[in-house]
Amino acid sequence: MIKTSMNPTEWALLITLSLLWGGSFFFAELALEGLPPLSVVFARVAIGALALLALARAAGLALPRGARLWRAFFVMGALNNLIPFTLIVWGQTEITGGLAAILNATTPLFTVALAHALTRDERMTPAKGAGTVVGFLGVTIMIGPQAIDGDRLFLLAQIAVLGAALSYAGAGLYGRRFRQVPPLIAAAGQVTAASVMLCPLALLVDRPWTLAPPGAVVLGALVALGLLCTAAAYVIYFRILATAGATNLLLVTFLIPVSAILLGALLLGERLSPGQAAGMGLIALGLGAIDGRIPAWILGRVLGRNPPAPRLRRAKGRPARARR
């Protein structure tokens, strides 16, 4: 039986998770004031890995030694951390955190399309197909004018964040193979692998010994990215997954852009253009169609009765993350 409602504690955890993952866009902007993108991403995953390894040890868990599982950790670390974190942080050198969060919210759209193309048990339904089309229409509205006007860096930054969403979708499908791995170990393993891969890249590209020492604000942002937006977020993520289920966890996709936009507006003075707001609305509408519960609720209000709950299939493995 798949749980389709949440208690107040689970809602509080979901909102907290959206604030942490939405806050990652805000803290990344602060960190970029003093460090280049790869250094920011490496610091985030390295701090997160140390924290997760400490939590695993405190829980009496040890990282596995088998080469086969570590190869999977490295692939997952690339798909779920190295590639998307780097693309998003680089993208934020040209676009606001709120806009990056909206584009990142397309992860479920890519997940539906990839699952239909690459799996046999996650075929696209008419509702999911319609939601995917509407969502990508919203993306087109958001990035279309910049493509015509010739603002290439702005356009490339948006495409980079969409590439990150595609990578997250791939990670969601690849992550099925970790079903038998304790969640904390899976999180610690992939973030540790991402740290190992990012270290030489950051050294070669950014040459940190040539950079000015980061200030207190930048260091604080890095600690927040690693401890709060990575380590703590993973702990909450797996807690919600265990108690409320994957379907309810998908709701965080709706909340992350709201958190990021509010933080950017209140603390950085960022604003969305009317076209960006319209695109966000269409993406949210598409996500609602994919999720299925919002149309069912509206139908129930119109008909004055509760329609049958949508038939939700239990996904094999973990769902695609909307992160972070």
Side-chain angles (χ1 to χ4, degrees):
M1 182 73 177
I2 295 178
K3 186 175 180 180
T4 57
S5 62
M6 293 189 291
N7 61 42
T9 299
E10 291 163 346
W11 273 111
L13 288 172
L14 189 77
I15 293 171
T16 301
L17 182 61
S18 75
L19 289 172
L20 292 176
W21 276 343
S24 68
F25 299 92
F26 167 73
F27 290 122
E29 290 198 46
L30 296 181
L32 286 169
E33 293 294 325
L35 290 173
L38 279 175
S39 294
V40 172
V41 175
F42 170 67
R44 174 181 181 176
V45 295
I47 294 171
L50 291 174
L52 287 167
L53 289 172
L55 286 173
R57 183 170 183 178
L61 300 172
L63 288 178
R65 298 179 181 273
R68 182 177 180 181
L69 188 54
W70 271 104
R71 283 196 296 269
F73 281 153
F74 272 88
V75 174
M76 191 66 174
L79 290 174
N80 208 36
N81 300 125
L82 187 155
I83 295 173
F85 287 2
T86 302
L87 289 175
I88 289 171
V89 172
W90 178 82
Q92 284 189 249
T93 62
E94 299 294 332
I95 64 177
T96 66
L99 178 54
I102 295 169
L103 293 170
N104 183 58
T106 60
T107 296
L109 306 180
F110 285 110
T111 303
V112 169
L114 283 181
H116 180 78
L118 301 178
T119 69
R120 294 182 178 179
D121 57 342
E122 292 290 337
R123 309 302 292 177
M124 189 179 296
T125 64
K128 287 183 177 182
T132 302
V133 171
V134 171
F136 282 122
L137 177 61
V139 173
T140 302
I141 290 175
M142 292 181 70
I143 70 174
Q146 286 72 37
I148 297 173
D149 295 341
D151 192 344
R152 297 304 178 191
L153 278 178
F154 193 82
L155 173 63
L156 287 175
Q158 293 181 88
I159 293 174
V161 178
L162 290 173
L166 177 60
S167 185
Y168 279 136
L173 297 180
Y174 186 84
R176 293 178 171 193
R177 67 194 61 217
F178 296 105
R179 289 194 299 269
Q180 305 304 319
V181 180
L184 189 55
I185 291 299
Q190 68 164 348
V191 177
T192 300
S195 302
V196 172
M197 290 184 285
L198 274 161
C199 183
L201 290 176
L203 291 174
L204 289 172
V205 176
D206 292 344
R207 303 175 66 196
W209 57 87
T210 66
L211 304 175
V217 173
V218 173
L219 290 175
L222 294 176
V223 172
L225 280 170
L227 293 183
L228 299 179
C229 304
T230 304
Y234 270 126
V235 173
I236 295 174
Y237 170 88
F238 286 120
R239 166 72 184 277
I240 299 172
L241 184 63
T243 62
T247 302
N248 285 312
L249 188 56
L250 183 64
L251 293 174
V252 77
T253 308
F254 296 90
L255 301 176
I256 290 173
V258 177
S259 302
I261 291 168
L262 287 177
L263 287 171
L266 294 175
L267 301 178
L268 299 176
E270 298 174 351
R271 295 291 184 272
L272 293 178
S273 70
Q276 292 168 352
M280 180 180 67
L282 286 175
I283 292 172
L285 184 63
L287 294 176
I290 290 173
D291 179 68
R293 285 172 292 178
I294 294 176
W297 180 83
I298 293 174
L299 182 61
R301 302 289 289 184
V302 171
L303 297 179
R305 60 182 178 83
N306 293 324
R311 297 185 65 183
L312 302 172
R313 296 170 55 185
R314 185 181 298 275
K316 295 184 178 180
R318 300 190 181 102
R321 295 175 177 84
R323 357 300 183 291
R324 353 46 111 301

